[in-house]
């Protein structure tokens, strides 16, 4: 009888008894939300990211939305963001009534090209949402200069970039408020969850109020001083987050090793273009491992092969402006952002997670080589 091949998952969290014990402790304490664990998690995270303040929230999307609220983005505004990202990078300001304007990406880094951002600015532009896609730092200084020149808010969507470094500093340390996400496929997880780092105490207080139904610092449980949301992270998630933060350096090192192994295994396969290399100013934190294939047909051939071999994959990332709801709402069509669209047609995420082992990666490499 033919032996079943073992599946290789696309991703997975890196948790063990330490997280189990931390969760049990919170459960035993009876303080499941708005307890001491959340404050501790925020302090530890801020320290790690090199920012003075951090406000934990229920997801990366919630954090981005709150920064759009604190930036005062509203109806009639335009906000510039990357088409080659996860939908939340644009949804966060659409919730506030603003219109998305997509600036095409650089073909090498897949991050927004500052020249395209500059060209997209109009008198109605209110903000830029900059994304560090696949954990590779965006051109923060250039984008910041554009924002300053035109009086725009700059929001950093660092949901995929915990641990990345730009010009020698941790993402989160440079000044613009940044959002990190903790869904289980991320470098670290809290189950669902996210966090906003800020360099402004005033903004931090506002974020903590906004995530907690607009309650004030002083008033009671039933006093709401502003329109707020329930975007709280609970203490169970925060407890997982604290343990994950303790492990983070080890996690990032293991992910670096896994990425290096892929580099070695895939380097000589014809038709596989590897993720762009680090340079002095940009050091990636490995979130996913995305390769670029010669064309869409080649990608589909690889996918068919992966399915037979029970290897996980995803077509990371479709261009946001071509999603069905975007076409319908704004009439966006092919040709708006050709670099992003080209990447979307032929980039593929391979199985990648902290504990991935060499033999699984070898199987992925063999399947890629065979399909191509
Ligand atoms: C670039 C980017 N922005 C925003 C998000 C949203 O994070 P969450 O899923 O925690 O809402 C993600 C998550 O995948 C992301 O990758």
């Amino acid at each position: 009888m033919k032996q079943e091949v073992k599946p290789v998952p696309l991703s997975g969290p890196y948790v063990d008894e330490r997280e189990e014990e931390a969760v049990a402790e919170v459960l035993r304490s009876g303080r499941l939300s708005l307890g001491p664990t959340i404050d501790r998690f925020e302090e530890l995270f801020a320290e790690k990211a090199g920012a003075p303040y951090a406000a934990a929230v229920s997801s990366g999307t919630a954090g981005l939305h709150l920064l759009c609220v604190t930036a005062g983005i509203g109806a009639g505004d335009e906000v510039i963001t990357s088409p080659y990202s996860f939908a939340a990078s644009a949804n966060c300001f659409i919730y506030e009534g603003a219109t998305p304007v997509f600036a095409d990406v650089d073909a090498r880094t897949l991050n927004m090209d500052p020249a395209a951002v500059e060209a997209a600015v109009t008198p109605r532009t209110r903000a830029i949402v900059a994304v560090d896609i696949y954990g590779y730092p965006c051109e923060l200084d250039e984008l910041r200069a554009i924002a300053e020149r035109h009086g725009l808010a700059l929001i950093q969507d660092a949901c995929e970039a915990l641990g990345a470094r730009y010009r020698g500093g941790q993402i989160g340390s440079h000044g613009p408020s940044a959002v990190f996400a903790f869904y289980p496929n991320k470098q670290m997880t809290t189950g669902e969850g996210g966090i906003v780092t800020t360099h402004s105490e005033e903004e931090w207080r506002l974020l903590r109020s906004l995530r907690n139904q607009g309650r004030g610092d002083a008033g009671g449980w039933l006093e709401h001083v502003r329109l707020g949301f329930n975007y709280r992270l609970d203490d169970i998630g925060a407890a997982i987050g604290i343990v994950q933060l303790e492990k983070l350096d080890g996690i990032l090192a293991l992910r670096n090793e896994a990425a290096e192994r892929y580099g070695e295994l895939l380097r000589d396969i014809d038709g596989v273009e590897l993720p762009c290399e680090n340079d002095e100013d940009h050091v990636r934190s490995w979130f996913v491992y995305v390769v670029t294939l010669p064309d869409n047909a080649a990608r589909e051939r690889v996918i068919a092969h992966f399915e037979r071999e029970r290897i996980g994959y995803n077509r990371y990332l479709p261009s946001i402006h071509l999603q069905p709801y975007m076409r319908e709402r704004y009439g966006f069509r092919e040709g708006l952002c050709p670099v992003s669209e080209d990447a979307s047609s032929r980039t593929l995420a391979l199985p990648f997670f902290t504990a991935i082992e060499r033999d699984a990666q070898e199987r992925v490499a063999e399947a890629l080589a065979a399909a191509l």
Side-chain angles (χ1 to χ4, degrees):
M1 210 168 77
K2 192 173 172 250
Q3 223 186 341
E4 277 276 300
V5 284
K6 211 169 128 206
V8 182
L10 177 63
S11 73
Y14 187 68
V15 292
D16 58 35
E17 348 28 83
R18 282 180 282 172
E19 283 84 358
E20 280 176 29
E21 182 50 36
V23 167
E25 254 176 55
V26 172
L27 293 176
R28 287 183 213 119
S29 78
R31 305 278 304 274
L32 305 195
S33 189
L34 294 172
T37 315
I38 201 92
D39 294 336
R40 182 84 191 115
F41 176 52
E42 288 177 344
E43 278 165 28
L44 290 171
F45 190 90
E47 200 178 303
K48 199 88 197 166
Y53 306 98
V57 286
S58 53
S59 69
T61 307
L64 288 168
H65 183 197
L66 290 189
L67 285 182
C68 292
V69 174
T70 60
I73 294 167
D77 292 336
E78 291 175 357
V79 179
I80 300 169
T81 194
S82 172
Y84 192 82
S85 185
F86 186 67
S89 306
N91 291 348
C92 59
F93 52 81
I94 297 174
Y95 299 148
E96 291 301 303
T99 303
V101 174
F102 292 101
D104 211 350
V105 295
D106 176 89
R108 190 182 78 87
T109 66
L110 302 175
N111 279 324
M112 270 197 298
D113 175 355
V117 173
E118 179 81 61
V121 175
T122 76
R124 291 170 63 187
T125 309
R126 182 68 185 247
I128 300 169
V129 176
V131 186
D132 304 303
I133 204 66
Y134 304 149
Y136 195 82
C138 67
E139 302 309 327
L140 195 61
D141 284 350
E142 284 87 335
L143 296 176
R144 185 144 57 163
I146 295 169
E148 279 168 10
R149 225 173 14 256
H150 297 279
L152 313 175
L154 178 61
I155 294 169
Q156 195 171 3
D157 179 346
C159 285
E160 304 185 353
L162 176 59
R165 299 181 75 83
Y166 175 70
R167 301 204 159 148
Q170 291 286 338
I171 298 291
S173 71
H174 299 89
S177 299
V179 181
F180 300 85
F182 303 135
Y183 187 74
N185 68 344
K186 296 294 190 298
Q187 287 89 335
M188 64 164 268
T189 188
T190 57
E192 292 289 351
I195 203 161
V196 186
T197 55
T198 172
H199 289 241
S200 152
E201 182 179 352
E202 194 188 341
E203 184 175 63
W204 177 66
R205 290 192 185 283
L206 187 53
L207 289 166
R208 285 168 54 112
S209 166
L210 286 166
R211 73 160 182 214
N212 187 22
Q213 304 282 20
R215 294 184 173 99
D217 275 344
W221 187 248
L222 294 179
E223 186 183 69
H224 305 272
V225 297
R226 54 180 62 83
L227 175 66
F229 307 85
N230 180 355
Y231 282 169
R232 296 185 300 261
L233 180 71
D234 61 40
D235 282 51
I236 299 165
I240 298 172
I242 289 172
V243 179
Q244 292 267 290
L245 270 182
E246 286 163 4
K247 291 181 180 173
L248 186 64
D249 292 345
I251 288 177
L252 297 177
L254 286 168
R255 296 175 85 92
N256 275 338
E257 284 168 25
E260 266 172 36
R261 282 198 297 272
Y262 263 143
E264 284 162 27
L265 291 165
L266 305 179
R267 190 155 293 138
D268 297 327
I269 302 178
D270 258 0
V272 178
E273 195 184 313
L274 303 183
C276 74
E277 298 269 354
N278 293 335
D279 60 28
E280 223 175 276
D281 291 338
H282 307 76
V283 179
R284 186 193 301 270
S285 167
W286 288 96
F287 160 53
V288 284
Y289 198 94
V290 173
V291 294
T292 306
L293 301 172
D295 53 32
N296 188 254
R299 182 170 74 176
E300 293 310 309
R301 271 203 315 280
V302 169
I303 285 173
H305 213 88
F306 277 14
E307 286 190 345
R308 277 197 300 276
E309 296 291 323
R310 304 182 73 197
I311 293 172
Y313 66 89
N314 214 339
R315 295 176 182 84
Y316 276 26
L317 266 164
S319 291
I320 302 175
H321 61 286
L322 298 181
Q323 293 285 355
Y325 76 109
M326 283 277 165
R327 291 174 182 266
E328 204 174 294
R329 273 178 90 120
Y330 304 103
F332 295 138
R333 292 287 178 269
E334 283 81 1
L336 185 69
C337 298
V339 182
S340 173
E341 291 162 28
D342 175 53
S344 295
S345 72
R346 58 199 184 94
T347 46
L348 183 71
L350 308 182
F352 189 79
F353 45 93
T354 304
I356 193 167
E357 287 178 358
R358 175 178 270 277
D359 58 351
Q361 292 182 283
E362 281 171 356
R363 267 183 60 202
V364 173
E366 280 160 22
L368 260 170
L372 290 170

